[in-house]
Amino acid sequence: MEEQQEEDQTIASLILAIRNLDLSDHEPVTVTSSPQSAPVLTPVPELPSLAEVEEIIGYTFRNKDLLKNAFTDASYKATDCASFERLEYLGDSVLNHLIAKLHYLLYPEMAPGELTRLRAANVDTEALARVALKYNLHKYLRHRKPVLDGQIQEFMEGIVEYPSHSSGMIDPPKVLADILESLIGAIFIDTNSSMDVTWEVVERLLQPLITPENLKPQPVAKFNEACQKMKLKPKAKDMWSKTGEIEIYIDNELIGTGMYKWKKAIAVNRAADDAYKHLFDKFGNKDGGNGG
């Protein structure tokens, strides 16, 4: 996914900004469990009719099997259809094309790098997961992932704290983005590869889109830029493998902390955001910012 390239670029900027921090997730926090707590496959409760999805998205499928595929996770091990993986792959490409075309036409003066950042913000995992949750598409997913409900609940709580895109502060379940992309892929195939018809459906679902006016910088990029302006050199203490925590220091003074034991990049973003909020109080408001 192009989102992975964007994440790689973000990680590269983190390394430049926080020089002694290793961002590789090679030592995740160990979660122990007893044999008695091993997940057991349980019968999946009956799901709402997929006809409701057609009502939600305003599109009626000619090939109902495509719709069923779009909402079947590989963990379900269905015998009546394939999983959504191939449709998700296709939908990802279709969506990137549609958004790239939209931005190309809307912003004729925008440079390619700016267009790339704007597109990424509209199609990254969090943005798409928010759309899936907004329309309750997860309720139609056939899966056997015992932890998924808890992950979705955590994401819902995160959305309350961050009503708009969090820019890497919360952890969206990837499967939510996957089912939206697979649905887009299914529509594309069902319309005989019509980009125009597919866009009619997708445009409604994605509203409101992120625009240049409300595009937020990543916490690390914002913190790094402020430090450069103030000629400060931050360093980080990496305790993620043991506690899930990242601490950021300037001149040996703790200025920010962040914790998220499941994904290091989120812990780093939270630490950078916390450090930015305290930066001006501790080291002077040299660029007119207020840490907000």
Side-chain angles (χ1 to χ4, degrees), residues 44-201:
V44 177
E46 186 175 349
L47 298 175
S49 169
L50 287 173
E52 295 178 12
V53 174
E54 295 178 310
E55 294 179 9
I56 291 170
I57 67 176
Y59 177 81
T60 301
F61 279 82
R62 292 176 293 180
N63 183 349
K64 305 297 183 182
D65 287 340
L66 284 170
L67 180 57
K68 185 186 294 184
N69 285 15
F71 285 88
T72 302
D73 185 77
S75 66
Y76 191 76
K77 301 187 184 302
T79 58
D80 57 341
C81 70
S83 75
F84 61 61
E85 291 175 341
R86 283 170 53 84
L87 286 175
E88 182 265 328
Y89 160 80
L90 177 62
D92 172 58
S93 297
V94 170
L95 179 59
N96 273 278
H97 171 83
L98 291 170
I99 296 297
K101 177 183 176 182
L102 174 70
H103 290 162
Y104 178 83
L105 296 175
L106 280 180
Y107 310 112
E109 303 301 322
M110 188 173 286
E114 295 175 300
L115 288 169
T116 298
R117 285 190 291 273
L118 184 59
R119 181 186 60 186
N122 279 283
V123 303
D124 70 8
T125 299
E126 181 179 336
L128 300 185
R130 283 176 178 268
V131 174
L133 203 58
K134 175 181 178 181
Y135 293 101
N136 291 318
L137 297 181
H138 61 287
K139 294 184 178 180
Y140 304 90
L141 177 64
R142 300 197 297 175
H143 72 92
R144 290 183 181 272
K145 292 181 174 178
V147 300
L148 182 57
D149 289 341
Q151 293 172 341
I152 292 175
Q153 181 61 38
E154 179 187 337
F155 184 53
M156 292 173 66
E157 294 170 0
I159 286 178
V160 173
E161 184 176 358
Y162 297 95
S164 59
H165 200 295
S166 76
S167 299
M169 300 285 285
I170 58 178
D171 190 14
K174 183 177 179 297
V175 70
L176 292 181
D178 289 345
I179 58 175
L180 184 64
E181 289 178 329
S182 64
L183 180 59
I184 293 170
I187 294 169
F188 180 70
I189 294 296
D190 196 62
T191 59
N192 291 322
S193 306
S194 171
M195 284 288 187
D196 291 337
V197 177
T198 302
W199 177 239
E200 289 179 8
V201 180

Side-chain angles (χ1 to χ4, degrees), residues 1-15 23 92 96 111-127 165 167-168 215-221 263 265 269:
M1 292 177 62
E2 299 222 2
E3 181 188 348
Q4 183 61 50
Q5 296 177 359
E6 187 72 15
E7 183 173 344
D8 291 343
Q9 293 173 0
T10 300
I11 288 175
S13 69
L14 291 176
I15 294 173
L23 273 182
D92 172 58
N96 273 278
E114 295 175 300
L115 288 169
T116 298
R117 285 190 291 273
L118 184 59
R119 181 186 60 186
N122 279 283
V123 303
D124 70 8
T125 299
E126 181 179 336
H165 200 295
S167 299
L215 177 62
K216 298 178 181 178
Q218 289 282 38
V220 169
K263 192 173 183 181
N269 278 326

